[in-house]
C-alpha cells in the first residue's frame, strides 16, 4: 500500500494535499507536479511511502533541481514509484548505462550460451568461497548494485527542522515524524 502527499510551504505555514501518482512516470513528471503546487516558487516536499518497506522525500525549491532521499534503496527498486526516484545520478551511474548494458547483453549474449542452449558451464566464481570477499572492489554487479539502506541527500530537511542524523534513524511512520519536525503534522493528517 502506498501513500503520497505534497506539502507546500506558504507564508501561513504548510499546505498539504494528497496526490495521485498514476500519471507520474518520471522524476521530471513528479517535479512538475510539485512545482504546480508551489506558492511563489517556495519549497514543496513530495512524500511517497510504501507501508513498512521504504519512504522517499523529494524537495523542490523553485526551478532548482529536485533533491531526493530514499530510506531503503534496495526495497525501492522493487517499486514502480521507487524506480522513479532512483535515478542514474542518485545511484552514481552514467545516464542510460543500464539500458546500454541490457542492449549489449542482448546483442552479444554475455552469458556465454547460444539462444535456447542451457548454461552448463562450471561456476568458477565460487571456487574460493572460504575467502573473505568483503573488500573485493572488482564486483561485476557494480552496475546493478543498489544499497540496502538510505540513499540520497540526507540534509534535504536540515534547514526545515529535521537534522540528517534524525532522518537516517527514521523507519516506520516516518512521514508523520517528518511532518511533526516541520510543524506540519496536523495538515498532513488531514490528507492521510
Amino acid at each position: 500500500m502506498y501513500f503520497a502527499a505534497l506539502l507546500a510551504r506558504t507564508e501561513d505555514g504548510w499546505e498539504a494535499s494528497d496526490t495521485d501518482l498514476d500519471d507520474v512516470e518520471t522524476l521530471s513528471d513528479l517535479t512538475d507536479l510539485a512545482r504546480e503546487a508551489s506558492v511563489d516558487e517556495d519549497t514543496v516536499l513530495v512524500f511517497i511511502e510504501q507501508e513498512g518497506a521504504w519512504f522517499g522525500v523529494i524537495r523542490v525549491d523553485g526551478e532548482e533541481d529536485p533533491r531526493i532521499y530514499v530510506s531503503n534503496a534496495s526495497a525501492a527498486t522493487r517499486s514502480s514509484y521507487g524506480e522513479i526516484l532512483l535515478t542514474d545520478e542518485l545511484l552514481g551511474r552514467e545516464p542510460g548505462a543500464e539500458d546500454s548494458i541490457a542492449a549489449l547483453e542482448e546483442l552479444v549474449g554475455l552469458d556465454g550460451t547460444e539462444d535456447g542452449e542451457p548454461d552448463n558451464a562450471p561456476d568458477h566464481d565460487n571456487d574460493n568461497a572460504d575467502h573473505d570477499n568483503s573488500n573485493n572492489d572488482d564486483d561485476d554487479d557494480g552496475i546493478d548494485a543498489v544499497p540496502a539502506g538510505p540513499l540520497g541527500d540526507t540534509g534535504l530537511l536540515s534547514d526545515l527542522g529535521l537534522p540528517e542524523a534524525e532522518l537516517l534513524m527514521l523507519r516506520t511512520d516516518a512521514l508523520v515524524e517528518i511532518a511533526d519536525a516541520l510543524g506540519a503534522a496536523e495538515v498532513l493528517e488531514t490528507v492521510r
Side-chain angles (χ1 to χ4, degrees):
M1 174 136 187
Y2 289 95
F3 171 74
L6 291 169
L7 274 182
R9 191 162 63 175
T10 69
E11 288 180 5
D12 301 324
W14 293 95
E15 290 182 3
S17 59
D18 59 347
T19 187
D20 183 10
L21 299 178
D22 289 345
D23 295 330
V24 173
E25 295 179 6
T26 65
L27 180 59
S28 182
D29 294 342
L30 193 58
T31 303
D32 291 344
L33 186 69
R35 286 190 177 120
E36 289 171 12
S38 176
V39 177
D40 297 327
E41 294 191 5
D42 212 338
T43 301
V44 176
L45 302 174
V46 181
F47 294 133
I48 301 174
E49 179 179 62
Q50 182 180 6
E51 192 174 309
W54 67 276
F55 71 90
V57 180
I58 303 90
R59 178 177 176 163
V60 178
D61 294 299
E63 292 301 314
E64 293 180 27
D65 288 340
R67 297 167 63 188
I68 303 167
Y69 173 79
V70 177
S71 67
N72 186 328
S74 66
T77 61
R78 297 184 290 276
S79 158
S80 58
Y81 298 130
E83 288 180 349
I84 291 171
L85 305 183
L86 297 173
T87 63
D88 287 335
E89 181 182 341
L90 192 66
L91 293 169
R93 296 192 271 217
E94 290 293 321
E98 194 171 277
D99 296 336
S100 299
I101 288 184
L104 284 173
E105 286 176 347
E106 186 176 313
L107 190 66
V108 297
L110 291 180
D111 66 354
T113 63
E114 296 293 326
D115 287 340
E117 180 181 317
D119 182 9
N120 295 328
D123 184 7
H124 295 292
D125 291 340
N126 293 326
D127 289 348
N128 297 323
D130 294 335
H131 296 293
D132 179 16
N133 291 326
S134 60
N135 291 327
N136 186 358
D137 292 332
D138 297 332
D139 260 348
D140 290 335
D141 314 349
I143 193 74
D144 296 322
V146 176
L151 186 65
D153 185 347
T154 57
L156 84 162
L157 300 174
S158 294
D159 65 324
L160 299 174
L162 188 70
E164 290 181 44
E166 289 182 31
L167 180 64
L168 288 168
M169 291 175 29
L170 297 177
R171 296 290 175 255
T172 58
D173 290 330
L175 301 186
V176 171
E177 292 185 43
I178 291 170
D180 190 42
L182 302 176
E186 288 182 21
V187 293
L188 181 65
E189 193 57 38
T190 63
V191 297
R192 198 152 172 119

